[in-house]
Amino acid sequence: MSDTSGAQSEITIACIQMEPIVGAKQANVAKSLEWIGQAALNGARLIVLPELANSGYVFRDRDEAFALAEEVPTGETTAAWIDAARRHDIYIVAGIAERAGAALYNSAVVLGPSGYIGTFRKVHLWAAENLFFEPGDLSFPVFKTPIGRIAAAICYDGWFPETFRLQALQGADIVCVPTNWVPIPGQEPGRPAMANILHQAAAHTNSMFIACADRVGTERGQLFEGQSVIVSCTGWFVAGPASRDREEIIFGRVDLADARRKRNWNEFNQVLRDRRTDVYDEMLGSEIKRGWY
């Protein structure tokens, strides 16, 4: 099925839940390529990898982070992922440690069959990330592709409703979230991750799909949450939650054009147009230009 712009909107999304090892960049990239190949063989057209999938996450110091970072899009990791996107005719959103001159960013690259599409830099830094990375300076870009309008966010960005609202106002159909969620204090055993609840709410209140690829394992004493999910624009799960402790792929078949159709909830209500911009600033004080919705 195609939407009115001619984009192929009905696709299979895959979120790869894997365990990168800090410092083992070549092995991490090789593992990611194996998982990407497996997802593509199972029909995935859009594939999401975890946060900092090539480098690992818990750095000892900034020197270690800098040594593992690469320029985007000219670095070897991005080049390997671009090659995979071309070979498999797929789109990839993947977390990477980005070096830009002397600055470091916790970034996500957006890649497709024709090569590099764009970069998102994590806006809201978590804990010790503030010692290594600069806050993202590219705002909240939305990338127009043949399969739909793709945006990205990274981990802690998901705790801020402004992230998803500004992307929705630019017409994003899906937000891909490379993430490294950690357990939230007070979380009782067996209960869903707080992150899952937050992303269900964001998908529902903005009428957009959200695909979250988390990592698993324990790295230098830090446990990660797993539970990767793909959420419909209605707020209900399309796939997942995945396990808390296993490497795996979750798949979801979606029609991205539904994100636009279902913004009209009934004959009276449209979730973005109903906003009271006489009461608050339409674009939340951002210089972002409103997109079609």
Side-chain angles (χ1 to χ4, degrees), residues 7-270:
Q8 181 189 347
S9 58
E10 190 172 321
I11 62 167
T12 296
I13 302 167
C15 287
I16 295 174
Q17 182 167 285
M18 57 179 278
E19 182 179 2
I21 305 300
V22 66
K25 189 163 66 172
Q26 289 187 338
N28 294 334
V29 174
K31 178 187 283 189
S32 76
L33 293 174
E34 292 178 7
W35 284 108
I36 288 168
Q38 182 177 334
L41 284 174
N42 282 276
R45 193 81 202 286
L46 173 60
I47 297 173
V48 188
L49 290 167
E51 178 180 6
L52 298 177
N54 69 327
S55 62
Y57 181 80
V58 184
F59 303 116
R60 287 195 179 91
D61 51 36
R62 192 178 187 280
D63 286 344
E64 182 179 40
F66 196 85
L68 292 166
E70 302 177 14
E71 293 184 352
V72 171
T74 57
E76 59 185 1
T77 298
T78 306
W81 286 336
I82 287 173
D83 180 65
R86 286 175 173 156
R87 283 188 289 109
H88 297 295
D89 190 30
I90 57 174
Y91 293 82
I92 298 171
V93 180
I96 187 170
E98 179 192 2
R99 181 192 305 170
L104 289 178
Y105 295 96
N106 184 340
S107 297
V109 289
V110 182
L111 315 169
S114 298
Y116 172 75
I117 296 172
T119 299
F120 170 79
R121 290 172 174 167
K122 189 174 185 177
V123 173
H124 306 96
L125 300 179
W126 174 258
E129 291 176 32
N130 288 276
L131 302 176
F132 313 130
F133 296 114
E134 302 296 326
D137 58 357
L138 299 178
S139 191
F140 297 97
V142 175
F143 304 103
K144 296 179 180 178
T145 78
I147 61 171
R149 299 184 180 119
I150 299 173
I154 300 174
C155 201
Y156 188 43
D157 288 323
W159 269 250
F160 295 83
E162 296 86 353
T163 297
F164 302 105
R165 181 51 50 88
L166 289 170
Q167 292 167 332
L169 288 168
Q170 296 174 84
D173 301 316
I174 184 167
V175 181
C176 298
V177 184
T179 187
N180 284 346
W181 294 328
V182 298
I184 297 296
Q187 181 175 330
E188 296 180 6
R191 286 200 170 181
M194 178 61 70
N196 288 350
I197 298 168
L198 291 172
H199 289 83
Q200 283 186 274
H204 175 74
T205 56
N206 292 287
S207 188
M208 54 169 49
F209 292 89
I210 302 180
C212 305
D214 196 12
R215 64 160 291 165
V216 290
T218 299
E219 186 174 87
R220 291 177 175 167
Q222 176 61 65
L223 175 66
F224 294 95
E225 187 67 44
Q227 299 193 68
S228 300
V229 291
I230 301 171
V231 187
S232 168
C233 58
T234 62
W236 302 113
F237 292 134
V238 175
S243 68
R244 294 175 181 268
D245 56 5
R246 294 193 311 276
E247 294 186 306
E248 59 183 295
I249 307 174
I250 60 170
F251 295 91
R253 183 75 178 172
V254 306
D255 186 346
L256 291 181
D258 281 346
R260 306 178 197 181
R261 297 188 189 104
K262 292 181 179 174
R263 283 178 181 153
N264 294 299
W265 286 347
N266 56 49
E267 61 181 311
F268 298 105
N269 298 113
Q270 206 271 19

